[in-house]
Amino acid sequence: MASQTILVTGAAGFLGSHLCDALLAEGNDVLGVDNLCTGNPANLEHLAGESRFRFEELDICKPFDLGRVDFVFNFASPASPVDYMRLGIETLLVGSAGTLNTLELAKKYGAGYLHASTSECYGDPEVHPQVESYWGNVNPIGPRSVYDEAKRFSEAAVAAYHRYHGVNTHLVRIFNTYGPRLQANDGRVISNLMMQALRGEALTIYGDGSQTRSFCYCSDLIEGIVRLAKSDEHLPTNIGNPVEWTILECAKEIQALVGSHCEIAFQPLPQDDPKQRKPDITKAKTLLGWEPKVPLREGLAKSLDYFKACVEREKR
């Protein structure tokens, strides 16, 4: 993939910005686009002097063409419950019109294409761990459906462009990921608990804390995604960390890291919140030779300075 011109949508987001860094490090020219409805320009400030990076603020839900590209990474979408419930219609639009517009670009230029899908396609799973062949258990009209069904439609669109137009497509199903540049107040487990602990607030846990998640550090995830983009695989591939943690265990890890003695506050579990989340990464290990390297305790320590800076900015 070196020395290509690569389009990254959602470039100012948490994962999009890390992806831009990885692609530039391989010697590519990167064109980042984002409408900044949830993206943060600060995530790209370090690239201001990089001649091989260009940023354009635009809405991919409207047809666009910024010139020939060799590969498209489609990472544009609100991704946290706080954002996609606030921007429900926008989430549906970017998952449908936005995905179709980026697929049209890939078709026009004969470019490769990778779509960032999600473990939310599995819904509240009845199969554990989740394997790519599982079709999921999703409430199509529930409060989370604007995100879940947008991503499921995107997968159908990506598969159709491969089937009908021969576009070289790839589909990654991303499981819970964390690290620097994660939105500080986006309602996700790691960001919520880290920010609360650093503020000296009670740590909020929904339900009894026995529900599980599997947390992947951002550098591991990006490595897996880049490997998938270079492969010949067109069907969905799970990328995530298969080590399962209860939410309560995660909260206690964060308390120990921060040195917090704050109490834990239990709140009702939101509707359709998955009880279990753990990827089966057999396919990624076999096909890509990939598996995560950074354990949760180490990844939390790597993220601590970032979240401390977020708390300090709140005080100004």
Side-chain angles (χ1 to χ4, degrees):
M1 194 174 287
S3 301
Q4 293 188 344
T5 299
I6 300 179
L7 172 67
V8 177
T9 71
F14 164 49
L15 292 179
S17 63
H18 283 293
L19 177 61
C20 288
D21 290 343
L23 296 171
L24 288 165
E26 290 196 340
N28 299 290
D29 292 321
V30 177
L31 171 58
V33 302
D34 202 303
N35 72 349
L36 302 180
C37 73
T38 60
N40 184 356
N43 290 339
L44 300 174
E45 283 179 350
H46 65 290
L47 299 178
E50 174 54 72
S51 62
R52 291 178 294 110
F53 179 76
R54 179 161 67 99
F55 177 76
E56 296 283 346
E57 183 178 346
L58 60 82
D59 184 357
I60 68 165
C61 295
K62 301 168 185 174
F64 71 100
D65 188 344
L66 298 172
R68 175 173 291 280
V69 293
D70 300 303
F71 206 99
V72 177
F73 284 89
N74 185 28
F75 275 64
S77 177
S80 71
V82 167
D83 286 333
Y84 63 66
M85 290 185 185
R86 174 175 61 90
L87 299 167
I89 303 303
E90 292 86 346
T91 301
L92 288 165
L93 279 170
V94 77
S96 52
T99 299
L100 292 171
N101 286 336
T102 54
L103 283 163
E104 278 295 312
L105 274 183
K107 176 188 167 189
K108 177 179 180 178
Y109 292 117
Y113 186 96
L114 184 141
H115 178 71
S117 190
T118 173
S119 60
E120 296 303 318
C121 285
Y122 299 120
D124 189 4
E126 296 171 328
V127 169
H128 192 75
Q130 290 80 62
V131 67
E132 290 90 345
S133 58
Y134 176 52
W135 289 356
N137 176 39
V138 175
N139 178 352
I141 58 171
R144 301 172 72 101
S145 65
V146 292
Y147 183 67
D148 300 358
E149 296 295 3
K151 290 294 190 180
R152 285 161 70 93
F153 175 87
S154 289
E155 288 200 6
V158 171
Y161 267 72
H162 175 68
R163 187 176 299 121
Y164 295 110
H165 298 304
V167 177
N168 179 22
T169 60
H170 310 274
L171 276 166
V172 57
R173 287 183 181 155
I174 297 171
F175 283 69
N176 293 68
T177 306
Y178 68 100
R181 303 181 201 162
L182 185 66
Q183 289 187 72
N185 297 302
D186 69 356
R188 285 186 265 199
V189 175
I190 298 293
S191 50
N192 256 13
L193 295 175
M194 287 284 269
M195 292 295 286
Q196 288 173 337
L198 288 166
R199 291 185 194 121
E201 299 172 353
L203 274 60
T204 303
I205 287 185
Y206 298 96
D208 62 5
S210 64
Q211 67 271 37
T212 67
R213 296 292 184 270
S214 303
F215 301 104
C216 189
Y217 189 67
C218 54
S219 61
D220 282 338
L221 186 96
I222 295 298
E223 180 190 345
I225 287 171
V226 172
R227 288 193 188 194
L228 179 60
K230 296 175 181 178
S231 77
D232 295 323
E233 179 61 28
H234 304 294
L235 296 174
T237 301
N238 291 337
I239 299 289
N241 192 319
V243 178
E244 199 171 7
W245 292 77
T246 69
I247 303 299
L248 188 57
E249 287 172 337
C250 180
K252 290 179 178 178
E253 284 290 322
I254 288 171
Q255 280 182 317
L257 174 68
V258 174
S260 166
H261 301 289
C262 297
E263 65 178 15
I264 291 176
F266 293 91
Q267 299 289 338
L269 195 66
Q271 182 181 342
D272 300 327
D273 192 59
K275 309 300 187 301
Q276 292 179 301
R277 185 68 86 223
K278 175 183 177 179
D280 183 313
I281 62 167
T282 302
K283 183 177 180 181
K285 289 169 72 172
T286 304
L287 182 72
L288 309 175
W290 175 88
E291 59 184 316
K293 304 180 185 74
V294 181
L296 181 62
R297 190 167 296 170
E298 179 184 338
L300 290 173
K302 286 173 175 282
S303 307
L304 184 59
D305 285 346
Y306 166 76
F307 285 107
K308 282 182 176 179
C310 292
V311 171
E312 287 303 311
R313 278 195 297 273
E314 289 182 340
K315 296 176 182 176
R316 294 172 191 164

